[in-house]
């Protein structure tokens, strides 16, 4: 049985003090006994150090185990790459996860499948668990290209990873047209795509690997739509944007996934 996984992608939001407050509020609103899913929060690079120690302290005091993830990384370990941050640096800081290939990075910063695969490999080699994002645009969906696009993204983004490394990844299906738009894929629509992804993983790797990989849904996830989504057999959690910036809505989503 796959353990569900809810992650909050804070994107480029929150000053340091706002991030600390938000993390603190999320920690205190999550009673350990109520939570039966994996949880991660992904602040900006700037806030990672502080948030990693905050969640660690909280856990030491008997609070829930909340992981911290980066939103991006560079595939080289170090060197002349101005403005970049590497996987070993993030791991050293206390991160457990890294979001890789988010559609905003793909569309706004030209991130290719090849770059995504190098980043995923670098993350794994440094002990970070990648959340590899894929998703089609509205135009691609309307032109019935969804499966073709996702197949190419999966093929390219996981290229160079061993089957065991693929198994350590979480896949986040985020239809681009549902991100930040208030439009969510219907539970049936999302389930169809998640089943397609799992089927791809079964064909490409093994059924055991495909069955153990968690596939998150992302795109306008909120407390009032998460129940229907999480009840689908191939939806194993959520990658939450806007609703993860408020402690009450994020913890509500986590609690609803824990029922
Ligand atoms: P929203 O939940 O704001 O639509 O963002 C989804 C997302 O991009 C998470 O990575």
């Amino acid at each position: 049985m796959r353990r569900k996984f809810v992650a909050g992608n804070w994107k480029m939001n929150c000053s340091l003090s706002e991030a600390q407050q938000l993390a603190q509020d999320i920690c205190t609103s999550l009673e350990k006994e109520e939570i039966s899913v994996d949880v991660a929060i992904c602040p900006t690079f700037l806030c990672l150090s502080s948030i990693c120690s905050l969640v660690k302290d909280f856990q030491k005091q008997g609070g829930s185990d909340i992981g911290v993830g980066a939103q991006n990384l560079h595939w080289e370990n170090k060197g002349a790459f101005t403005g970049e941050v590497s996987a070993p640096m993030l791991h050293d800081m206390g991160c457990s996860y890294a979001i890789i290939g988010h559609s905003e990075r793909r569309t706004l910063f030209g991130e290719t499948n090849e770059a995504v695969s190098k980043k995923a490999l670098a993350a794994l080699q440094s002990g970070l668990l990648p959340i590899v994002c894929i998703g089609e645009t509205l135009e691609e969906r309307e032109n019935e290209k969804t499966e073709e696009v996702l197949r190419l993204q999966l093929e390219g983004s996981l290229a160079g990873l061993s089957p065991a490394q693929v198994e350590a990844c979480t896949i986040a299906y985020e239809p681009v047209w549902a991100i930040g738009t208030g439009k969510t894929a219907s539970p049936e629509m999302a389930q169809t795509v998640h089943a397609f992804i799992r089927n791809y993983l079964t064909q490409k790797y093994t059924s055991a690997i495909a069955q153990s990989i968690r596939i998150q849904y992302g795109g306008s996830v909120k407390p009032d739509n998460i129940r229907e989504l999480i009840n689908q057999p191939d939806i194993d959690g959520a990658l939450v944007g806007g609703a993860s910036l408020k402690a009450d809505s994020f913890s509500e989503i986590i609690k609803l996934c824990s029922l």
Side-chain angles (χ1 to χ4, degrees):
M1 194 50 192
R2 297 178 293 272
R3 188 172 158 89
K4 295 192 168 39
F5 177 25
V6 179
N9 176 7
W10 293 3
K11 307 191 180 183
M12 197 175 74
N13 291 293
C14 299
S15 64
L16 178 58
S17 61
E18 287 165 347
Q20 287 166 332
Q21 189 63 57
L22 178 55
Q24 186 65 48
D25 292 346
I26 289 169
C27 285
T28 49
S29 64
L30 293 177
E31 290 285 337
K32 206 174 179 176
E33 300 70 34
E34 284 182 304
I35 311 307
S36 61
V37 301
D38 288 341
V39 177
I41 49 180
C42 306
T44 61
F45 284 139
L46 207 59
C47 299
L48 284 173
S49 167
S50 165
I51 302 301
C52 283
S53 20
L54 192 148
V55 299
K56 209 195 274 168
D57 287 348
F58 180 72
Q59 203 193 332
K60 271 195 213 139
Q61 290 153 21
S64 304
D65 183 3
I66 296 174
V68 178
Q71 298 174 17
N72 182 29
L73 51 77
H74 193 273
W75 57 80
E76 293 291 345
N77 287 348
K78 60 178 180 173
F81 301 99
T82 303
E84 297 291 328
V85 174
S86 75
M89 293 170 185
L90 295 166
H91 186 258
D92 176 60
M93 188 125 289
C95 289
S96 321
Y97 301 96
I99 299 173
I100 315 265
H102 190 278
S103 70
E104 286 148 18
R105 296 226 48 91
R106 291 176 185 264
T107 57
L108 303 173
F109 302 99
E111 209 158 287
T112 60
N113 287 325
E114 192 193 353
V116 173
S117 109
K118 289 204 269 191
K119 290 179 180 202
L121 194 58
L124 288 158
Q125 284 169 344
S126 293
L128 298 171
L129 299 172
I131 301 174
V132 177
C133 303
I134 57 171
E136 81 287 0
T137 62
L138 186 58
E139 195 188 348
E140 288 161 346
R141 174 162 284 270
E142 285 174 349
N143 289 325
E144 295 177 9
K145 293 262 190 313
T146 301
E147 293 193 354
E148 184 184 327
V149 167
L150 297 179
R151 191 179 298 112
L152 286 172
Q153 287 179 341
L154 285 164
E155 186 85 40
S157 304
L158 302 176
L161 270 61
S162 69
Q165 287 172 323
V166 170
E167 197 169 4
C169 294
T170 294
I171 306 291
Y173 167 58
E174 299 204 303
V176 178
W177 48 270
I179 296 177
T181 57
K183 286 186 201 150
T184 330
S186 70
E188 297 73 25
M189 203 189 263
Q191 166 56 27
T192 303
V193 175
H194 281 231
F196 166 80
I197 295 168
R198 204 172 307 282
N199 190 40
Y200 168 89
L201 296 169
T202 306
Q203 305 295 321
K204 178 89 185 175
Y205 304 98
T206 64
S207 168
I209 289 176
Q211 286 304 320
S212 79
I213 293 178
R214 296 185 290 194
I215 309 175
Q216 294 175 321
Y217 171 79
S220 299
V221 170
K222 301 199 169 49
D224 61 9
N225 59 27
I226 187 64
R227 275 305 295 164
E228 277 192 303
L229 288 162
I230 205 70
N231 278 339
Q232 303 299 316
D234 288 295
I235 300 185
D236 307 312
L239 184 54
V240 188
S244 72
L245 293 171
K246 293 216 165 66
D248 53 358
S249 50
F250 188 57
S251 54
E252 187 68 19
I253 289 168
I254 293 162
K255 286 174 194 169
L256 289 165
C257 287
S258 298
L259 291 178

mmCIF file of all heavy atoms in Angstrom, residues 9 11 102 104 174 178-181 218-221 239-243, ligand 1:
data_model
loop_
_atom_site.group_PDB
_atom_site.id
_atom_site.type_symbol
_atom_site.label_atom_id
_atom_site.label_comp_id
_atom_site.label_asym_id
_atom_site.label_seq_id
_atom_site.Cartn_x
_atom_site.Cartn_y
_atom_site.Cartn_z
ATOM 1 N N ASN A 9 4.066 23.528 -2.248
ATOM 2 C CA ASN A 9 5.041 24.278 -3.043
ATOM 3 C C ASN A 9 4.750 25.763 -2.841
ATOM 4 O O ASN A 9 3.769 26.281 -3.370
ATOM 5 C CB ASN A 9 4.897 23.873 -4.522
ATOM 6 C CG ASN A 9 5.807 24.673 -5.429
ATOM 7 O OD1 ASN A 9 6.647 25.455 -4.965
ATOM 8 N ND2 ASN A 9 5.648 24.488 -6.734
ATOM 9 N N LYS A 11 6.406 28.225 -3.882
ATOM 10 C CA LYS A 11 6.847 29.037 -5.031
ATOM 11 C C LYS A 11 7.608 30.276 -4.537
ATOM 12 O O LYS A 11 8.267 30.208 -3.499
ATOM 13 C CB LYS A 11 5.647 29.378 -5.922
ATOM 14 C CG LYS A 11 4.871 28.109 -6.326
ATOM 15 C CD LYS A 11 3.854 28.318 -7.400
ATOM 16 C CE LYS A 11 3.164 26.988 -7.701
ATOM 17 N NZ LYS A 11 2.188 27.089 -8.791
ATOM 18 N N HIS A 102 9.192 21.483 -12.411
ATOM 19 C CA HIS A 102 7.867 22.090 -12.305
ATOM 20 C C HIS A 102 7.536 22.801 -13.615
ATOM 21 O O HIS A 102 8.429 23.337 -14.273
ATOM 22 C CB HIS A 102 7.841 23.088 -11.131
ATOM 23 C CG HIS A 102 6.465 23.570 -10.824
ATOM 24 N ND1 HIS A 102 5.874 24.586 -11.542
ATOM 25 C CD2 HIS A 102 5.548 23.164 -9.909
ATOM 26 C CE1 HIS A 102 4.649 24.772 -11.061
ATOM 27 N NE2 HIS A 102 4.429 23.923 -10.083
ATOM 28 N N GLU A 104 6.373 25.592 -14.219
ATOM 29 C CA GLU A 104 6.830 26.989 -14.279
ATOM 30 C C GLU A 104 8.312 27.053 -14.651
ATOM 31 O O GLU A 104 8.749 27.964 -15.346
ATOM 32 C CB GLU A 104 6.539 27.690 -12.938
ATOM 33 C CG GLU A 104 5.052 27.992 -12.803
ATOM 34 C CD GLU A 104 4.516 27.954 -11.388
ATOM 35 O OE1 GLU A 104 5.307 28.030 -10.428
ATOM 36 O OE2 GLU A 104 3.281 27.831 -11.234
ATOM 37 N N GLU A 174 0.725 17.541 -12.912
ATOM 38 C CA GLU A 174 0.138 18.872 -12.762
ATOM 39 C C GLU A 174 -0.257 19.403 -14.138
ATOM 40 O O GLU A 174 0.598 19.924 -14.874
ATOM 41 C CB GLU A 174 1.159 19.823 -12.125
ATOM 42 C CG GLU A 174 1.617 19.408 -10.759
ATOM 43 C CD GLU A 174 2.128 20.588 -9.937
ATOM 44 O OE1 GLU A 174 3.055 21.289 -10.386
ATOM 45 O OE2 GLU A 174 1.564 20.823 -8.861
ATOM 46 N N ALA A 178 -4.447 23.786 -15.031
ATOM 47 C CA ALA A 178 -5.122 23.751 -13.719
ATOM 48 C C ALA A 178 -4.305 24.456 -12.645
ATOM 49 O O ALA A 178 -4.756 24.589 -11.513
ATOM 50 C CB ALA A 178 -5.380 22.301 -13.310
ATOM 51 N N ILE A 179 -3.094 24.905 -12.999
ATOM 52 C CA ILE A 179 -2.218 25.502 -11.987
ATOM 53 C C ILE A 179 -2.566 26.972 -11.765
ATOM 54 O O ILE A 179 -2.490 27.777 -12.695
ATOM 55 C CB ILE A 179 -0.729 25.355 -12.392
ATOM 56 C CG1 ILE A 179 -0.348 23.874 -12.430
ATOM 57 C CG2 ILE A 179 0.181 26.128 -11.447
ATOM 58 C CD1 ILE A 179 1.063 23.600 -12.881
ATOM 59 N N GLY A 180 -2.970 27.284 -10.551
ATOM 60 C CA GLY A 180 -3.247 28.670 -10.173
ATOM 61 C C GLY A 180 -4.438 29.277 -10.884
ATOM 62 O O GLY A 180 -4.635 30.490 -10.865
ATOM 63 N N THR A 181 -5.256 28.446 -11.529
ATOM 64 C CA THR A 181 -6.371 28.972 -12.316
ATOM 65 C C THR A 181 -7.709 28.755 -11.612
ATOM 66 O O THR A 181 -8.728 29.284 -12.055
ATOM 67 C CB THR A 181 -6.457 28.232 -13.670
ATOM 68 O OG1 THR A 181 -6.589 26.830 -13.383
ATOM 69 C CG2 THR A 181 -5.222 28.461 -14.515
ATOM 70 N N GLY A 218 -1.538 17.753 -8.858
ATOM 71 C CA GLY A 218 -1.373 19.166 -8.507
ATOM 72 C C GLY A 218 -2.131 20.043 -9.486
ATOM 73 O O GLY A 218 -2.214 19.736 -10.684
ATOM 74 N N GLY A 219 -2.681 21.138 -8.985
ATOM 75 C CA GLY A 219 -3.428 22.074 -9.823
ATOM 76 C C GLY A 219 -4.712 22.467 -9.136
ATOM 77 O O GLY A 219 -5.693 21.720 -9.163
ATOM 78 N N SER A 220 -4.661 23.619 -8.435
ATOM 79 C CA SER A 220 -5.840 24.147 -7.738
ATOM 80 C C SER A 220 -6.442 23.166 -6.725
ATOM 81 O O SER A 220 -7.660 23.091 -6.578
ATOM 82 C CB SER A 220 -6.903 24.612 -8.747
ATOM 83 O OG SER A 220 -6.378 25.657 -9.551
ATOM 84 N N VAL A 221 -5.568 22.438 -6.037
ATOM 85 C CA VAL A 221 -6.058 21.554 -4.969
ATOM 86 C C VAL A 221 -6.438 22.405 -3.762
ATOM 87 O O VAL A 221 -5.711 23.313 -3.367
ATOM 88 C CB VAL A 221 -4.973 20.524 -4.563
ATOM 89 C CG1 VAL A 221 -5.377 19.774 -3.299
ATOM 90 C CG2 VAL A 221 -4.718 19.551 -5.704
ATOM 91 N N LEU A 239 0.349 17.881 -4.745
ATOM 92 C CA LEU A 239 1.348 18.940 -4.712
ATOM 93 C C LEU A 239 0.537 20.233 -4.756
ATOM 94 O O LEU A 239 -0.116 20.527 -5.753
ATOM 95 C CB LEU A 239 2.307 18.816 -5.904
ATOM 96 C CG LEU A 239 3.474 19.807 -5.956
ATOM 97 C CD1 LEU A 239 4.298 19.798 -4.672
ATOM 98 C CD2 LEU A 239 4.402 19.489 -7.137
ATOM 99 N N VAL A 240 0.573 20.941 -3.640
ATOM 100 C CA VAL A 240 -0.357 22.053 -3.433
ATOM 101 C C VAL A 240 0.376 23.385 -3.558
ATOM 102 O O VAL A 240 1.411 23.578 -2.905
ATOM 103 C CB VAL A 240 -0.999 21.950 -2.015
ATOM 104 C CG1 VAL A 240 -2.095 22.981 -1.856
ATOM 105 C CG2 VAL A 240 -1.523 20.548 -1.760
ATOM 106 N N GLY A 241 -0.155 24.289 -4.361
ATOM 107 C CA GLY A 241 0.444 25.620 -4.491
ATOM 108 C C GLY A 241 -0.253 26.599 -3.563
ATOM 109 O O GLY A 241 -0.020 26.625 -2.348
ATOM 110 N N GLY A 242 -1.159 27.389 -4.121
ATOM 111 C CA GLY A 242 -1.829 28.467 -3.386
ATOM 112 C C GLY A 242 -2.362 28.072 -2.013
ATOM 113 O O GLY A 242 -2.155 28.785 -1.032
ATOM 114 N N ALA A 243 -3.027 26.928 -1.944
ATOM 115 C CA ALA A 243 -3.655 26.524 -0.673
ATOM 116 C C ALA A 243 -2.629 26.074 0.368
ATOM 117 O O ALA A 243 -2.988 25.852 1.528
ATOM 118 C CB ALA A 243 -4.680 25.417 -0.915
HETATM 119 P P1 LIG B 1 -1.948 25.769 -7.333
HETATM 120 O O1 LIG B 1 -2.330 24.798 -6.251
HETATM 121 O O2 LIG B 1 -1.796 27.176 -6.842
HETATM 122 O O3 LIG B 1 -2.810 25.633 -8.541
HETATM 123 O O4 LIG B 1 -0.453 25.356 -7.796
HETATM 124 C C1 LIG B 1 -0.189 24.043 -8.111
HETATM 125 C C2 LIG B 1 1.274 23.877 -8.283
HETATM 126 O O5 LIG B 1 1.855 24.376 -9.219
HETATM 127 C C3 LIG B 1 1.997 23.124 -7.232
HETATM 128 O O6 LIG B 1 3.298 22.831 -7.636
#
